């Protein structure tokens, strides 16, 4: 059964010098945690752990994984549902527990995490009509999202977005992937600030983006908004 959606893969190095990466994926109606550990000089060990069912109606997922030296930390899973709601789940041991939902997302299509801060996460999202938005979601359970338009049109062809931190001025590299043509297009974003966000197109990436699902691998905190 093919993978339908995937979150960002977070990378780190263990105290034993092992390279470790992990992320979440949807396969059919199930949510899995997928991890890879590569000991020095050895082959990678890959594991997949089923976290639960009931995910058939979700079309995209994204995760935050924030922690800083001051003790601020949070870990959330966001799921975009075909019923028009954006659901949030808080990490709970090896799984996740419900942490509220937000309506009004029926027209949204693709999403990716662009910023993780002590008191909020920000998603970068597109609509089926091609608009591009940021959705800032405070970490408190009862807070409402802050929705900001970045561009009114031009993003309708992308089925998925990949985001990585870039530079020291809160910039981001965003790759929009068109599954119909197996193509990826790269953009440099300034710090997200509504329609004032500066976006520089670097054109089509000269490789084929085959397959239905793609994911960013990062060891950096995303701080693009």
């Amino acid at each position: 059964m093919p993978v339908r959606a995937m979150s960002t893969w977070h990378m780190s190095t263990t105290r034993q010098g092992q390279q470790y990466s992990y992320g979440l994926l949807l396969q059919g109606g199930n949510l899995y945690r997928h991890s890879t550990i590569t000991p020095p000089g050895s082959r990678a060990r890959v594991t997949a752990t089923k976290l639960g069912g009931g995910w058939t109606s979700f079309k995209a997922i994204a995760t935050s994984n924030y922690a800083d030296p001051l003790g601020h930390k949070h870990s959330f899973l966001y799921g975009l549902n075909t019923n028009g709601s954006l659901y949030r789940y808080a990490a709970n041991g090896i799984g996740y527990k419900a942490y509220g939902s937000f309506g009004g997302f029926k027209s949204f299509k693709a999403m990716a995490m662009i910023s993780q801060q002590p008191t909020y996460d920000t998603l970068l999202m597109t609509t089926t009509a091609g608009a591009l938005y940021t959705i800032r979601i405070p970490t408190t359970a009862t807070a409402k999202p802050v929705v900001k338009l970045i561009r009114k049109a031009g993003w309708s062809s992308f089925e998925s977005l990949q985001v990585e931190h870039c530079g020291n001025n809160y910039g981001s590299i965003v790759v929009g992937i068109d599954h119909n043509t197996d193509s990826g297009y790269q953009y440099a974003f300034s710090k997200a600030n509504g329609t004032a966000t500066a976006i520089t197109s670097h054109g089509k990436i000269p490789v084929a983006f085959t397959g239905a699902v793609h994911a960013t691998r990062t060891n950096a905190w995303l701080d693009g908004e």
Side-chain angles (χ1 to χ4, degrees):
M1 186 177 295
V3 174
R4 299 191 297 107
M6 192 176 297
S7 72
T8 298
W9 280 66
H10 300 280
M11 299 186 298
S12 64
T13 301
T14 68
R15 294 178 180 178
Q16 295 75 31
Q18 299 173 326
Q19 298 298 312
Y20 177 64
S21 63
Y22 66 93
L24 301 178
L25 59 88
L26 299 182
Q27 190 173 36
N30 298 316
L31 175 69
Y32 290 87
R33 179 186 175 96
H34 191 281
S35 61
T36 301
I37 297 177
T38 307
S42 301
R43 297 180 63 180
R45 300 196 304 268
V46 179
T47 60
T49 303
K50 182 179 175 180
L51 301 183
W55 290 81
T56 302
S57 59
F58 288 86
K59 55 185 177 180
I61 58 174
T63 54
S64 65
N65 185 38
Y66 182 85
D68 66 27
L70 299 178
H72 302 114
K73 61 181 180 179
H74 63 264
S75 181
F76 292 121
L77 163 63
Y78 298 88
L80 181 60
N81 198 293
T82 55
N83 66 10
S85 292
L86 178 66
Y87 290 83
R88 178 165 58 171
Y89 302 86
N92 182 29
I94 63 170
Y96 289 85
K97 63 180 180 180
Y99 200 71
S101 63
F102 316 102
F105 288 87
K106 187 70 174 179
S107 64
F108 285 81
K109 180 180 179 181
M111 71 176 184
M113 189 65 58
I114 193 171
S115 191
Q116 304 162 110
Q117 300 297 328
T119 59
Y120 66 88
D121 292 327
T122 302
L123 295 166
L124 185 68
M125 300 183 69
T126 66
T127 67
T128 54
L132 182 68
Y133 288 85
T134 53
I135 315 296
R136 178 189 286 197
I137 306 174
T139 56
T140 52
T142 58
K144 302 298 183 183
V146 178
V147 179
K148 288 186 179 181
L149 176 70
I150 294 181
R151 296 292 186 270
K152 291 182 178 180
W155 294 76
S156 62
S157 63
F158 301 133
E159 281 76 32
S160 65
L161 302 173
Q162 309 301 321
V163 180
E164 178 61 288
H165 167 83
C166 181
N168 297 318
N169 296 313
Y170 306 100
S172 303
I173 292 296
V174 177
V175 175
I177 299 175
D178 182 348
H179 292 164
N180 294 322
T181 61
D182 294 334
S183 301
Y185 295 81
Q186 181 173 300
Y187 303 86
F189 280 47
S190 68
K191 182 178 181 179
N193 183 26
T195 56
T197 306
I199 302 177
T200 302
S201 173
H202 292 284
K204 183 178 180 181
I205 300 172
V207 296
F209 283 76
T210 57
V213 178
H214 302 85
T216 303
R217 297 183 68 194
T218 184
N219 59 4
W221 288 338
L222 300 173
D223 57 358
E225 193 254 11

